[in-house]
Amino acid sequence: MCTNNCKDEKMKALDVVLDDHGHDSGSLITILQKAQDIYGYLPAEIIYYVAAQTGTTPAKVMGVATFYTQFRLEPVGKYLIMLCKGTACHVNGSDRIEASITTELGIQNGQTTEDGLFTLKNVACLGCCSLSPVMMVNDETFGTLTPEKAISILNDFRSREEA
Ligand code: FES
């Protein structure tokens, strides 16, 4: 679990990012990407901090953070499931995949399981339509999904936790 020391380490890492980019509001997207890498999402206090450090307004930083779908304003589970709902995946059954995941995990799109392990997020095309239907779990891509295969993949992640 994160302690105050942990927070301090994160803030130090963010300060390095801000220094690397000259505290330049023209680099907001990159700064926010790296802030999200550090924190896992963009907490409100970090929006304010980045605004103050780059000489801009929280509203502008928030505008960037909400415009791009890559940014998260809420904490996510250890494993972020990004289920593609693009056209090719839709045609090839992404709704059935979503139904199996929501039933298995007991969460809906945008929610996180009570144990903090999984967050489900529906996304637009992941750029690998030939593998549709597709989902990513963190950095790993899984294609030609069936409902059974999707559940099996989630169970593999659960097993990793238990190992
Ligand atoms: S539509 Fe799903 S990867 Fe393109």
Side-chain angles (χ1 to χ4, degrees):
M1 277 293 118
C2 196
T3 65
N4 284 336
N5 283 342
C6 177
K7 281 185 185 169
D8 290 343
E9 290 303 313
K10 288 179 177 178
M11 191 59 85
K12 281 182 203 160
L14 180 56
D15 284 339
V16 169
V17 170
L18 286 159
D19 287 346
D20 285 349
H21 293 84
H23 295 246
D24 180 5
S25 64
S27 300
L28 265 183
I29 294 173
T30 307
I31 291 169
L32 291 179
Q33 284 170 336
K34 293 188 174 175
Q36 183 164 274
D37 287 344
I38 293 167
Y39 286 89
Y41 71 111
L42 296 173
E45 62 267 28
I46 296 307
I47 298 281
Y48 278 85
Y49 186 72
V50 168
Q53 292 292 318
T54 56
T56 186
T57 63
K60 182 171 180 194
V61 179
M62 195 62 168
V64 173
T66 54
F67 182 79
Y68 295 98
T69 56
Q70 64 180 295
F71 293 122
R72 299 184 292 270
L73 299 175
E74 301 287 338
V76 296
K78 182 168 183 181
Y79 299 108
L80 175 61
I81 304 162
M82 288 175 285
L83 178 65
C84 182
K85 301 287 281 193
T87 303
C89 288
H90 177 73
V91 167
N92 285 303
S94 61
D95 285 351
R96 288 188 300 120
I97 308 300
E98 182 177 8
S100 67
I101 292 173
T102 56
T103 301
E104 174 72 16
L105 298 181
I107 56 173
Q108 300 296 318
N109 177 35
Q111 296 180 334
T112 300
T113 54
E114 276 184 13
D115 61 6
L117 214 50
F118 295 104
T119 297
L120 175 62
K121 186 172 184 197
N122 291 342
V123 297
C125 181
L126 286 168
C128 43
C129 309
S130 62
L131 299 176
S132 64
V134 180
M135 70 177 179
M136 289 184 72
V137 181
N138 293 352
D139 295 332
E140 293 182 63
T141 303
F142 301 93
T144 56
L145 292 174
T146 62
E148 296 75 22
K149 185 173 171 184
I151 300 309
S152 168
I153 289 163
L154 298 185
N155 283 332
D156 284 347
F157 281 99
R158 279 199 184 110
S159 301
R160 287 187 201 180
E161 290 304 304
E162 290 161 10

